Amino acid sequence: MSRVLKWLCCGVVMLGLVGSALADLIVYDGFDYPEGTIAGNAGGAGWDAGVAWDGGQNIVAPGLAWPDLEVAGNKVGTASTVSYRLMPSGFDASNRTIWISFLCASSATPSWAGISPFNDGSEAIFLGKPDGSATWGIALYNAAGDAGAVTGSKLSEMPTSEQALLVVRIVNGTSSGRITAWLNPDLGREPAADTAFYDSELAGEVVGRVLFDRIRIGSNGEFFYDELRLGDTYADVSGMGGPEFAANPAPEEEATDVPRDVVLGWTAGEFAATHDVYFGAAFDDVNDAGRSNPMGALVSQGQTETSYDPAGLLDFGTTYYWRVDEVNAA
């Protein structure tokens, strides 16, 4: 029976610097463009060179801000129209996990406004303010046409009058998907599914895959969107994945059939002085534990080494989780 190790990434627990991880993102756009139409602008990171936004959305100043999230430039002020930008060449959303995050804020009350992973002629999923809602949420459109898949709006309780950080995880399987959506999660560590305002698996719903080849920004009135990030991990889209943070876990993320006597290792963050290691078979304990409440998961505190040897042997047929928090030098 296999042993699985899942890396929950990292945090900085003292004197931390939060940086961006643009090099690790699939695509990023901070909308650092001059005021005026978005059409013709091709900045950001990860996109194909020269492939610009089209359509009639506007760039307005200043940009949105969020605590501990590095931001740049202005923002999109949506109009009663849509704009598209193609994903980079070779991008394929099938059979993979994709994370999306962006900032959103309201300046009026249109019936719909949002950002969509979009196929040519077919909307995959809508993120922001679905039709007629007064709260932030998502809408499922089952663009892949998977049999038995649930569609419709999945709403939070946060009114669109409040600025928010919307984070969505899309897990595309071979014939169905899993969708999880959070508002304002802690940037320091990956959020648990039970803290989401919608998780298809916990809701007992089967949803379709989200297959897309472009990003659309659309509205029938004015909303604001900023700091669009698409990545393979939560660290990518939350700013946790820069050189200031522990990285390169060994064994790698979701490694299976690891040796029972495995020694965990990682690359230290740029400013790290010591490391706190959390390890265990309960996701919530490893994810939520801290120095003040170790929850039985804090197995090493203040170590200088970038490796940890778990006591004893790993059990067969068990998934283990581990996390490293770093204490930075002054």
Side-chain angles (χ1 to χ4, degrees):
M1 298 179 69
S2 64
R3 282 82 54 204
V4 180
L5 278 176
K6 294 195 176 184
W7 165 250
L8 299 188
C9 194
C10 45
V12 176
V13 298
M14 294 175 63
L15 301 178
L17 297 178
V18 176
S20 64
L22 303 189
D24 299 323
L25 289 168
I26 300 170
V27 292
Y28 162 80
D29 207 317
F31 305 107
D32 187 13
Y33 306 127
E35 292 185 71
T37 180
I38 196 174
N41 286 297
W47 313 91
D48 284 347
V51 176
W53 290 97
D54 65 11
Q57 302 299 338
N58 298 314
I59 300 297
V60 296
L64 299 177
W66 195 257
D68 295 330
L69 183 69
E70 185 176 341
V71 299
N74 292 319
K75 61 180 177 285
V76 176
T78 60
S80 298
T81 183
V82 295
S83 292
Y84 294 90
R85 191 172 185 181
L86 289 172
M87 294 295 292
S89 301
F91 171 79
D92 185 357
S94 61
N95 298 312
R96 69 187 294 182
T97 297
I98 298 171
W99 291 79
I100 303 174
S101 74
F102 55 83
L103 298 175
C104 46
S106 168
S107 67
T109 55
S111 62
W112 62 273
I115 294 177
S116 306
F118 207 90
N119 273 320
D120 185 14
S122 176
E123 190 160 28
I125 187 174
F126 183 90
L127 316 174
K129 181 187 187 298
D131 286 348
S133 69
T135 60
W136 298 114
I138 65 176
L140 307 176
Y141 292 103
N142 190 22
D146 295 319
V150 169
T151 59
S153 295
K154 310 296 178 181
L155 302 177
S156 74
E157 296 181 354
M158 180 176 293
T160 55
S161 58
E162 298 181 23
Q163 181 177 320
L165 172 66
L166 179 58
V167 178
V168 176
R169 181 182 63 195
I170 300 167
V171 182
N172 285 322
T174 56
S175 60
S176 63
R178 180 180 182 180
I179 308 297
T180 313
W182 295 266
L183 281 169
N184 306 344
D186 181 353
L187 293 179
R189 62 192 59 168
E190 183 175 322
D194 61 6
T195 65
F197 69 83
Y198 176 71
D199 177 81
S200 58
E201 184 172 290
L202 295 181
E205 298 178 342
V206 176
V207 299
R209 293 163 294 164
V210 179
L211 308 179
F212 61 101
D213 61 6
R214 65 198 66 198
I215 297 296
R216 187 190 80 168
I217 304 175
S219 173
N220 70 343
E222 187 153 342
F223 262 53
F224 296 132
Y225 293 97
D226 203 356
E227 293 301 318
L228 173 65
R229 290 170 164 86
L230 278 74
D232 292 306
T233 68
Y234 182 66
D236 294 341
V237 301
S238 68
M240 292 195 304
E244 296 85 2
F245 293 88
N248 303 319
E252 65 184 10
E253 162 68 2
E254 298 194 5
T256 58
D257 295 320
V258 298
R260 297 184 68 198
D261 59 352
V262 66
V263 176
L264 310 178
W266 62 92
T267 300
E270 183 177 0
F271 307 107
T274 61
H275 313 264
D276 292 351
V277 182
Y278 298 82
F279 180 84
F283 172 88
D284 289 342
D285 291 349
V286 176
N287 190 63
D288 299 336
R291 285 183 168 183
S292 61
N293 185 18
M295 302 176 67
L298 178 56
V299 293
S300 179
Q301 179 174 320
Q303 69 171 57
T304 57
E305 299 83 8
T306 56
S307 63
Y308 174 74
D309 187 356
L313 300 176
L314 302 185
D315 292 332
F316 288 108
T318 303
T319 297
Y320 292 90
Y321 304 89
W322 62 296
R323 177 183 122 221
V324 175
D325 282 1
E326 298 191 315
V327 180
N328 285 349

